[in-house]
Amino acid sequence: MTDKNQPLVSIVIPAYNVADYLDECLESVVSQTYANLEIVLVDDGSTDDTGVKCDAWAKKDIRIRALHQKNGGLSAARNAGILHCNGEYLLALDSDDRIKQDLVRKCVSSLEDSSADLVHFGYSSITESGAHVNNHPDPEAEGDELLLLILSNKLQSHSWQFLCKRSLYDGILFPEGRKAEDLATTYKLISRVGSSVTIPDCLYEYRTRKGSILAGATSNPEKAVRYYVDELLAFHEMIQWAKSTGRAEYVRAAQNSMVRHLFLHYKAMLAACSEEGIEWVSNRLSEELKNIDSNSLEGAEKKKAAMFRNGSLAFCYRFDNALRKTAKQLLRKIRRVSK
């Protein structure tokens, strides 16, 4: 039974070809200890049984609505779901993840007690082998500090890491036809927050799967570079927004984050031995570093920038990549011998 005296909470779940995971995801949602939920499922043109499962769940639980649309990507599906929400609060949930049974109850209680706009919580990363790695939030990450952490990417821009007032999304859409959609959106939401609270518990279970952009850069550098293009566009938008605020610390945080990502991608392309990828990232680094005052770069990025300019960074990265590859090979041999 739902308690109509409780605020309505909308949970938006985009779904594309996740038939193997959807049941587990929705079981974690419908079993919430907080009952007054509106669950908006958006089947984004799936070619497996995802759409059928969405309809079956909608028939089984009156709180669930299933929407179907032509495949438009994650952003298009999220946008469609958000536009159909009626709740006072909203949670974005990925269809291959799970949430703890008391996530919504704890979040709403914290928001109502503090009259805050947003609550930030921790999450557990779950590997395909079932291993859990807990990621607890910084208890001090509230208000302006939370925004700085997002801009600097010291706190990743996962859209599912927050439960917030639905009104924060008014006029904000995820960029359709692009990757890195959370990076392009979350800072805008956080910038609107008057006050926020943090729950130290890991309430969200994030499933890590093979084929992620960074993990798969070596095996598919062309796909990785396509992601980097959208990511760089998101960073440019973020930096322009930061400049418009007149806050030098925002600009510095966003610029350092962008450069840090480009250095990571440079190393990944060197490991992949992708000449096209190396050239693309190298050219982008050269261009971006021309437009950034080196004094605004933080310690590690400042050193890497100097090494990149004098040509020594590629050598160091190749050497480190070779050491890591050798270490992995030795570990595999040790495991085979120990069996």
Side-chain angles (χ1 to χ4, degrees), residues 107-147:
C107 287
V108 172
S109 178
S110 293
L111 289 170
E112 294 287 292
D113 289 345
S114 61
S115 298
D117 301 320
L118 176 147
V119 58
H120 168 224
F121 45 80
Y123 67 96
S124 300
S125 297
I126 305 174
T127 66
E128 291 185 325
S129 65
H132 281 61
V133 178
N134 289 332
N135 299 272
H136 295 280
D138 183 343
E140 303 299 321
E142 298 179 359
D144 193 55
E145 182 64 25
L146 179 60
L147 179 57

Side-chain angles (χ1 to χ4, degrees), residues 85-124:
C85 285
N86 300 298
E88 181 176 347
Y89 298 113
L90 187 147
L91 171 70
L93 172 61
D94 285 352
S95 53
D96 52 354
D97 296 339
R98 304 186 301 247
I99 54 177
K100 293 294 182 67
Q101 197 173 27
D102 54 356
L103 181 149
V104 177
R105 179 182 59 78
K106 285 186 174 181
C107 287
V108 172
S109 178
S110 293
L111 289 170
E112 294 287 292
D113 289 345
S114 61
S115 298
D117 301 320
L118 176 147
V119 58
H120 168 224
F121 45 80
Y123 67 96
S124 300

Side-chain angles (χ1 to χ4, degrees), residues 44 69-80 83 173-179 181 184-185 230 233:
D44 189 42
Q69 63 181 33
K70 291 181 180 179
N71 179 247
L74 177 58
S75 290
R78 274 211 192 120
N79 290 338
L83 290 172
L173 295 174
F174 289 90
E176 298 187 13
R178 286 165 50 182
K179 302 294 185 183
E181 62 285 329
T185 309
D230 286 343
L233 175 57

